Amino acid sequence: MQHLQFLRNLKSVTFASSVNNIPSVRILDVMLVEGENLYFLTARGKPFYHQLKVNPVISIIGMDKKYKTVRVTGKIKPVGREWVDKMFDANPMMNDLYPGEKRNILDGFCMSEGFGEMFDLGVTPLVREKFNFGANSQKHIGYSINNNCTQCGVCVDICPLQSIITGNKYTINSSSCLECGLCFEHCPNNAVDKFLDF
């Protein structure tokens, strides 16, 4: 999948976990991507490892020099030792950090299903794309216009990027929407729904 490969090409990206409603982030390398599977390593002595055991759901985000970002969220699962070896083969510098049998302190993990978003601020107009991978069904995140819409035009006037499509019922072009919430806050008819199911 191209979005997972984007994170692999960046290599060092931000991994976020949460335990007991306390978030934690760190920079790690995406070690390998095969199809819709993303692999990474961590040492068993690290707090991150223990967080993964308590709550095996993480988010990963990375941004390139042209302000394109990809964020994915999904469940992770441990993988066998053969995958650790594959990750070392794909990342030879790991042999300098953990030579020989010292690599055995590392365990491998795989994210094989989840949902995400590509957001490119480096182009005009900006581009936003939601996606899912693996067996995950797409979660709706963002804003939509419901049947209370009276076509009053308030949302059209206030939208920073003119992402409102007019017609018998207005709709939101999610691929250019900033998801700022101005339409939601200013609609006089409660015609804008927001979905924040991350």
Side-chain angles (χ1 to χ4, degrees):
M1 164 171 271
Q2 65 176 351
H3 300 307
L4 298 182
Q5 192 61 50
F6 174 87
L7 294 171
R8 166 64 179 154
N9 293 343
L10 290 177
K11 203 161 172 162
S12 295
V13 296
T14 302
F15 283 65
S17 58
S18 176
V19 175
N20 298 325
N21 293 320
I22 300 173
S24 182
V25 297
R26 78 278 306 145
I27 302 293
L28 285 178
D29 286 355
V30 173
M31 291 290 176
L32 189 63
V33 167
E34 288 193 358
E36 294 188 340
N37 298 312
L38 180 150
Y39 297 89
F40 64 96
L41 297 164
T42 192
R44 291 188 299 278
K46 294 191 176 189
F48 182 43
Y49 179 87
H50 297 282
Q51 292 165 3
L52 295 177
K53 292 297 188 179
V54 173
N55 183 13
V57 177
I58 61 170
S59 287
I60 305 170
I61 189 168
M63 181 173 70
D64 69 11
K65 293 178 181 179
K66 296 180 179 178
Y67 302 104
K68 178 179 178 180
T69 64
V70 169
R71 177 184 53 163
V72 293
T73 299
K75 292 181 180 178
I76 55 98
K77 59 187 177 187
V79 294
R81 300 308 304 172
E82 69 276 9
W83 284 101
V84 173
D85 294 338
K86 282 186 178 184
M87 287 184 254
F88 267 70
D89 290 344
N91 302 273
M93 51 74 88
M94 290 298 294
N95 291 294
D96 296 331
L97 294 173
Y98 293 95
E101 297 300 311
K102 294 178 182 174
R103 75 170 64 176
N104 291 334
I105 192 61
L106 298 169
D107 279 355
F109 293 88
C110 174
M111 180 188 288
S112 59
E113 64 179 84
F115 63 96
E117 170 181 79
M118 182 279 297
F119 192 38
D120 194 345
L121 285 167
V123 296
T124 303
L126 66 83
V127 175
R128 169 176 260 133
E129 177 189 338
K130 312 255 194 239
F131 60 91
N132 62 348
F133 58 98
N136 192 71
S137 60
Q138 180 70 44
K139 293 181 178 286
H140 186 95
I141 301 169
Y143 294 85
S144 66
I145 297 176
N146 62 43
N147 289 329
N148 293 338
C149 179
T150 63
Q151 300 86 37
C152 68
V154 169
C155 58
V156 175
D157 294 337
I158 203 160
C159 180
L161 293 180
Q162 294 76 51
S163 294
I164 309 298
I165 301 168
T166 59
N168 290 337
K169 178 189 167 198
Y170 289 4
T171 57
I172 298 174
N173 178 1
S174 61
S175 67
S176 67
C177 176
L178 285 172
E179 297 181 357
C180 66
L182 275 171
C183 57
F184 177 81
E185 289 186 0
H186 289 85
C187 178
N189 302 303
N190 295 318
V192 181
D193 295 323
K194 68 176 175 179
F195 302 90
L196 299 176
D197 185 6
F198 294 103

